[in-house]
Amino acid sequence: MSDRKFAVITGASTGIGFELAELAAKNSYDLLIVADEAKIEEAATHIRTHGANVVALEADLATIEGVDKLLAAVTGPIDLLCANAGRGLGHGFLDQKVDDWRRVIDTNITGTLYLLQNVLSDMVARNDGKVLITGSIAGFIPGAFQAVYNGSKAFIDSFADAIRNELKESKGVSITTLMPGPVETEFFDRAGMMDTSVGASDTKSTAEDVAKDGWDAVMAGEAHIVSGWKNKIQAAVAHVTPAAVLAEQHRKMAEPGTADS
């Protein structure tokens, strides 16, 4: 009988999710990795080099049907869920198409909650399992020119705290929130933010470092981890800074055309 555990990692084709999947494979987990692009197959090929059994699934986790497709692909108990799939969106809210901002909400909130509800129900019934939810320090900051994304992460950060309390009697189940700042991934390009100060910055955290922080925290059963010392300072300052000041600071980072400011 194999002593390998089983992990599900979403948003695993690139970035933080891919790095989390590598860490899981190196730590004797077999995996189901999921993303909404065909590149997930390429990621699986690489991750298999670490000796893991890896199933790749292309599914749109902004939809209930996509999450159901993920759940149908699970053949046994989930020991670890990394709910990492997320989508960003830059520019002014009034300039955004309804379909675009709805997709951010459906990916970051609706699909994530539906997945968590299903997976956590089984974990609580078994009183065993670990969950890592990718939130963000963006959830502490009113995100001028990134308003829907930051609002969605404020929801996720808060939601994770709430369900952690609801499930506190299930001692065998842990829920960890990973809260990075800006990370050097395809996020800013996909969000249409490469003409912004934050998008063009070369001081972002690496996906590898953020994933390692998240991995260590979820394995230790910690409630939260803010990845990176600069982000820890920013998160602490955000708690005592007026919202209007934070929004203005964020504007300077995220307003289109500020890349060279």
Side-chain angles (χ1 to χ4, degrees), residues 4 20-29 31 47 50-52 54:
R4 298 182 68 87
L20 284 167
E22 279 221 294
L23 286 167
K26 291 175 181 178
N27 284 273
S28 300
Y29 281 81
L31 295 119
I47 293 164
H50 301 298
V54 183

Side-chain angles (χ1 to χ4, degrees), residues 29-94:
Y29 281 81
D30 291 326
L31 295 119
L32 170 63
I33 59 172
V34 190
D36 64 354
E37 59 181 356
K39 193 181 289 187
I40 194 67
E41 294 288 350
E42 181 182 336
T45 298
H46 178 85
I47 293 164
R48 290 187 188 109
T49 63
H50 301 298
N53 178 27
V54 183
V55 175
L57 178 69
E58 185 178 350
D60 184 358
L61 301 183
T63 67
I64 297 299
E65 294 77 14
V67 178
D68 281 338
K69 185 177 178 181
L70 181 163
L71 295 169
V74 174
T75 57
I78 298 172
D79 299 293
L80 169 67
L81 169 66
C82 296
N84 173 74
R87 184 172 293 274
L89 185 63
H91 297 275
F93 174 63
L94 297 185

Side-chain angles (χ1 to χ4, degrees), residues 183-195:
V183 184
E184 191 61 62
T185 67
E186 297 178 6
F187 174 91
F188 292 98
D189 185 35
R190 292 173 175 174
M193 295 182 67
M194 293 308 293
D195 63 341

Side-chain angles (χ1 to χ4, degrees), residues 9-24 31 33-34 47 82-86 132-137 149 153 178-188 190 204-215 225 227 231:
I9 301 178
T10 67
S13 56
T14 60
I16 298 169
F18 175 81
E19 298 294 343
L20 284 167
E22 279 221 294
L23 286 167
L31 295 119
I33 59 172
V34 190
I47 293 164
C82 296
N84 173 74
L132 179 68
I133 303 172
T134 301
S136 176
I137 67 166
Y149 174 78
K153 289 302 183 179
L178 171 61
M179 292 178 284
V183 184
E184 191 61 62
T185 67
E186 297 178 6
F187 174 91
F188 292 98
R190 292 173 175 174
K204 303 183 191 78
S205 302
T206 68
E208 185 177 7
D209 287 345
V210 172
K212 183 63 165 60
D213 285 344
W215 181 266
I225 177 65
S227 180
N231 297 321

